[in-house]
Amino acid sequence: MSAIGELSSMTRRKGPMTKEEKKANGRDNKAAYIFLLPWLLGLAVITVGPMLMSLYLSFTDYNLLQPPAWVGLDNFARMFGDARLHNSLRVTFTYVLVGVPLQLAVALLIALVLDKGLRGLPFYRSIFYLPSLLGGSVAVAILWKQIFGTTGLVNQVLAMIGIEGPGWISDPNTALGSIILLHVWTFGSPMIIFLAGLRQIPNMYYEAAEVDGATTMQKFWRITIPMLSPIIFFNLVLQIIGSFQSFTQAFIVSGGNGGPSDSTMFFTLYLYQKGFGQFDMGYASAMAWFLLVIIGAFTAINFIASKYWVFYDD
């Protein structure tokens, strides 16, 4: 009790600190800065430094072999007449606007099923989460390329029922769809977040709805969705940001050229080709900052629109 009383009196004491207290605080601060130093160095050297350098290079003509030459806004002006860049934007927007809603819908559906209290829930949760850990890897992209190839597993299954399947990744009409399907398959991460959110919805709301005679769909749209809207918003923002930065899947499936007929030419893949394929690093840096503006705009729109559909139970 004496220790508690002493602590209480210390927290209530007002006025300037003594020299001993100042020294103690100084030692604590120094220790904190020492532990933070590796992270601060990493932030400055690995993150902030390259970002500032890329911002400078975006206003230059730089080919990695000669010193950068200042060109002002020429790199950004070039984007207006770059037809391949416009196509890459179209492909990327299609990927994001189709893939993200489908992925979140599948993730929510699986989360609703798992929320029913299945036996062995940790096992199923781990199995469904596994694709999110592997979906962005080179190995899975290569496997996906084999599955949807002309003689791949999908066409072999279709052949068993007398259907001759197309070359899914070699046909411009279906190549992007196969990559979107790979994105939807990596639903594990948002599913885990949805499942955690479902567990936080008080059961009394559903009980009251049952007393009023509400159907399952009515409970889903009137209780589950509004109560889960902050989680939906969180997943939506994260998945949009991640989808705009997708690169590995398109690079591996298309062989690095965005084919066939640039149907899988993601913005990031075109940026890579410009920077490391054609050594047009100044233009690639400008593209990177343009992508940052696009992601920032989408994020801002989501935050502005969230006040009309996100419900916070304060």
Side-chain angles (χ1 to χ4, degrees), residues 30-200:
K30 288 180 181 178
Y33 287 132
I34 290 174
F35 282 110
L36 286 172
L37 185 60
W39 182 85
L40 292 174
L41 288 175
L43 177 66
V45 176
I46 300 176
T47 303
V48 177
M51 285 183 62
L52 295 177
M53 188 61 185
S54 71
L55 180 60
Y56 164 70
L57 292 177
S58 67
F59 298 101
T60 66
D61 180 11
Y62 181 48
N63 60 7
L64 297 177
L65 302 176
Q66 298 173 340
W70 185 266
V71 295
L73 298 174
D74 287 359
N75 288 326
F76 295 94
R78 283 174 56 189
M79 296 182 187
F80 291 100
D82 191 340
R84 294 195 76 193
L85 183 141
H86 300 162
N87 176 73
S88 70
L89 286 174
R90 180 187 62 79
V91 171
T92 303
F93 280 123
T94 302
Y95 177 77
V96 173
L97 297 178
V98 175
V100 170
L102 286 177
Q103 184 197 53
L104 294 183
V106 172
L108 180 56
L109 177 62
I110 300 299
L112 288 169
V113 173
L114 295 181
D115 189 48
K116 298 302 181 182
L118 296 177
R119 180 178 298 179
L121 177 60
F123 171 77
Y124 289 109
R125 190 166 50 200
S126 301
I127 291 297
F128 285 127
Y129 184 68
L130 189 61
S132 289
L133 297 177
L134 303 176
S137 68
V138 174
V140 171
I142 293 175
L143 177 62
W144 208 258
K145 185 176 181 179
Q146 296 297 323
I147 291 175
F148 285 92
T150 305
T151 59
L153 179 61
V154 173
N155 282 347
Q156 291 179 17
V157 173
L158 292 176
M160 295 174 60
I161 57 177
I163 300 176
E164 183 179 356
W168 299 95
I169 60 174
S170 59
D171 187 342
N173 297 318
T174 57
L176 180 59
S178 65
I179 299 180
I180 291 176
L181 187 60
L182 173 57
H183 178 69
V184 174
W185 180 64
T186 60
F187 61 83
S189 179
M191 179 209 68
I192 293 295
I193 299 174
F194 277 139
L195 185 58
L198 288 170
R199 295 298 177 89
Q200 300 302 315

Side-chain angles (χ1 to χ4, degrees), residues 1-13:
M1 293 298 293
S2 59
I4 297 175
E6 182 179 352
L7 179 61
S8 177
S9 62
M10 290 174 62
T11 57
R12 289 196 304 267
R13 188 182 61 81

Side-chain angles (χ1 to χ4, degrees), residues 204-215 218-219 223:
M204 62 180 182
Y205 294 137
Y206 296 106
E207 294 174 351
E210 289 180 0
V211 172
D212 292 337
T215 64
Q218 287 175 331
K219 288 187 289 185
I223 299 176

